[in-house]
Amino acid sequence: MIWYKAWLESRWRFAAGLLLVTAIAAMDIGQARLLMPRLGIPADQFGQFVWKSYFTRIAFGWTLSALLLAAGGLVREQALGSCLFSLSLPVSRRRWLAVRTLLALGQSLVLALIPAGVVPLMAALLGWSYSPWDAAKFSLLLFLTGLATFAVGILCSSLFQNEFASVAVGIGFVFACGMVANAVAPHSEYGAYMTGRQHMDAAWHLTRGWPWWGIAANAGAALALVGLALRNLERRDF
C-alpha cells in the first residue's frame, strides 16, 4: 500500500519528467547539423556533440525532473492537510522516507536511461550511427554523478512544504558546486572529470574507465544528505 501511495503521489511528476527529458534529447539531436557548427564541433565528431548535449541540456532536464521527483512527502502533505492520515498508518517515518526515496531514485534512473533510446533513434533518422550501449553509459554516468543533487532534493523535502522551494535549492546547489569547483580547479577540470571527459577515446565514447572518485563522492554525499533528511523528519512535530 505504501509503495502504491508513493506512486500515486509522484506519477504526474514522473510523466512530466519523461516528456521533458525525451523532448530535450530529441530536439537536441534533431538539430545536430545546425548546432554543431555553432559549437565549433566538426561534422565528423558527432560523438562529441552527443557527449556535450548529454552533460548540458539533457543533464539540466534530468536534474530538474529528479528534483521534482524528490520533492513532496510528509512535510508537503502537512501543507495539504493529509499528513495526519499518513502518520496514522502503521508505518514508521523512517519507512515512509525510505520508500519515497527508493521510488524516486528508481524513477530518476528510468528518466536518465530515456536518452539512451532517443539519441540512437534520432541519430539514425539524421543519417548517423550511434550505439545504444555508448549512450547508455552516458546515461548511467549522468545518474551516478547526479546522486548528490537528488539527495539535496530529498533533504529539502524534509525542510520545506513548498515543492518549488526544494527544486530551487537543488538547482542552486548544482551551480554553487560548479562555481566552487571552478575556483579550486581552474579551466573547468572538475566538470570535465565529472562528465567523463578524461575517459573518452578519439570517437568520444566512454571506453577508458570511469570517474570512480567522483561517483564515490556523490554516493557518499547522497547517503549523508538522506541521513540528515531522516533526522529532520523524525524530529519534526506534525
Side-chain angles (χ1 to χ4, degrees), residues 26-46 49-50 57 122-129:
M27 291 176 63
D28 252 23
I29 305 304
Q31 299 180 84
R33 296 191 188 278
L34 177 65
L35 295 176
M36 287 173 67
R38 295 181 180 180
L39 296 172
I41 299 175
D44 61 347
Q45 289 291 333
F46 179 67
F49 176 76
V50 171
R57 286 175 286 271
M122 293 300 298
L125 293 175
L126 292 172
W128 275 299
S129 176

Side-chain angles (χ1 to χ4, degrees), residues 4 11 17-18 28 33 38-39 43 74 82 92 112 117 127 139 143 150 159-162 180 203 206 210 213 224:
Y4 183 61
R11 57 182 176 174
L18 193 67
D28 252 23
R33 296 191 188 278
R38 295 181 180 180
L39 296 172
L74 291 173
S82 60
S92 67
S139 289
F143 173 76
F150 169 82
L159 298 171
F160 307 121
Q161 293 182 344
N162 191 315
V180 171
L206 190 61
W210 289 68
W213 285 109

Side-chain angles (χ1 to χ4, degrees), residues 218-237:
N218 267 272
L223 288 174
L225 291 167
V226 172
L228 286 174
L230 176 61
R231 182 181 178 185
N232 290 336
L233 202 62
E234 289 183 327
R235 299 175 65 180
R236 190 180 183 99
D237 183 10

